[in-house]
Amino acid sequence: MAYSCCLRGIQWDVEPKGSETTLGGRPCYVSGGTQEKAIMIIHDLYGWSFPNIRILADHYAEEVHATVYVPDFFGGERKSVEIINTPSRWGELDLPAFLQKNTKEIRYPEMLECAKLIRSRHSRTGCIGFCFGGWGAFRLGARDVGLFDCVATAHPTHLTEEEISSIGVPVQIMAPEHDPQFTAELKTFSLQTIPTLNVPFDYQVFPGLTHGFATRGDPENDAERKGMERAKNAAVHWFRQWLDDL
């Protein structure tokens, strides 16, 4: 399966602390409640209701002292999280059909609408996208958008050279060593191009780890657990740096 790396992983055994609400008429998980700073998370293929994404939102809310939003960008479709531990069931998702329903042309306007709403409520805002959400974070951080003060991504999928070249705000990339989606060519392009764009750039390398490690790593695997913790801490530091009053 071409996108098996986007499905592989572990569901973490922790209960999220936030609540469900709506944002722009779509379901949204919210954690924290500070007025000044906000972060929007663009979820991976397991969607806005995936507990791991919500747990990360809770960490960001507490450690950055921000309100964290995880809107639904899959049109209300919820995936059964039980399949994450059952590769034989991944075929149930019919990923080709699913991806046709969730193209950039369909979902980016929704992301943009949510970003505008969040910006209208908070004075400093950031965005992070995982896997499917990585390209969205880059598009929302483009020079001609101006809605976020910084963006970040870990193991992005479907990210293009044009999106990389258009970045206009401080950007952080967390890149595992092995990633069939964020390829060696895209890594090299990012490292060669972004430093020429006059934006702060933080590139984090995670040796030995694979696509999906930041949101679906195995806490029982020492290397993956340390990688997840380091990625969480790196994102927290990034958001603190750019969302606090400068």
Side-chain angles (χ1 to χ4, degrees):
M1 184 183 293
Y3 292 94
S4 62
C5 63
C6 301
L7 298 173
R8 182 182 298 111
I10 298 293
Q11 180 180 332
W12 303 334
D13 187 21
V14 180
E15 285 295 321
K17 301 175 183 178
S19 60
E20 294 188 3
T21 182
T22 59
L23 182 68
R26 61 187 47 83
C28 181
Y29 178 80
V30 178
S31 188
T34 56
Q35 189 66 33
E36 181 182 354
K37 296 178 288 186
I39 298 166
M40 184 169 87
I41 295 178
I42 309 179
H43 53 69
D44 64 11
L45 279 182
Y46 282 98
W48 76 290
S49 60
F50 185 37
N52 296 15
I53 289 290
R54 296 182 173 199
I55 292 163
L56 281 173
D58 294 343
H59 276 288
Y60 297 160
E62 181 176 353
E63 297 176 39
V64 183
H65 306 295
T67 300
V68 183
Y69 299 83
V70 188
D72 171 28
F73 294 122
F74 285 161
E77 183 175 348
R78 293 194 186 215
K79 292 172 190 57
S80 172
V81 295
E82 290 80 10
I83 70 169
I84 193 171
N85 296 324
T86 314
S88 61
R89 294 185 58 194
W90 291 350
E92 296 175 16
L93 293 178
D94 190 6
L95 277 180
F98 176 78
L99 292 171
Q100 282 296 315
K101 293 187 296 183
N102 295 286
T103 63
K104 295 181 180 183
E105 291 72 24
I106 293 171
R107 298 307 174 196
Y108 179 67
E110 299 177 353
M111 296 176 184
L112 184 61
E113 179 186 8
C114 287
K116 289 178 178 178
L117 287 170
I118 292 170
R119 189 71 191 194
S120 72
R121 300 176 182 180
H122 305 272
S123 58
R124 298 194 66 79
T125 60
C127 178
I128 185 167
F130 298 99
C131 187
F132 169 87
W135 64 265
F138 263 78
R139 284 201 176 188
L140 291 170
R143 287 184 294 274
D144 60 351
V145 176
L147 292 171
F148 288 117
D149 296 292
C150 65
V151 298
T153 185
H155 41 80
T157 298
H158 294 166
L159 186 62
T160 67
E161 292 185 356
E162 181 180 359
E163 290 161 347
I164 293 168
S165 299
S166 298
I167 197 70
V169 299
V171 58
Q172 178 186 65
I173 297 177
M174 290 176 279
E177 179 180 358
H178 309 290
D179 194 336
Q181 297 297 330
F182 190 49
T183 62
E185 291 76 15
L186 284 173
K187 291 173 181 175
T188 298
F189 184 84
S190 299
L191 289 167
Q192 292 177 343
T193 303
I194 296 176
T196 71
L197 301 179
N198 197 32
V199 296
F201 177 37
D202 178 44
Y203 189 89
Q204 300 268 339
V205 179
F206 291 79
L209 298 184
T210 62
H211 183 93
F213 80 94
T215 55
R216 302 186 300 275
D218 184 356
E220 301 301 317
N221 179 297
D222 189 58
E224 292 187 19
R225 178 180 52 79
K226 289 179 179 178
M228 290 190 298
E229 291 174 350
R230 183 182 146 213
K232 185 270 294 180
N233 290 338
V236 165
H237 178 75
W238 185 249
F239 287 126
R240 283 177 177 171
Q241 185 174 9
W242 296 106
L243 300 187
D244 286 345
D245 290 331
L246 299 177

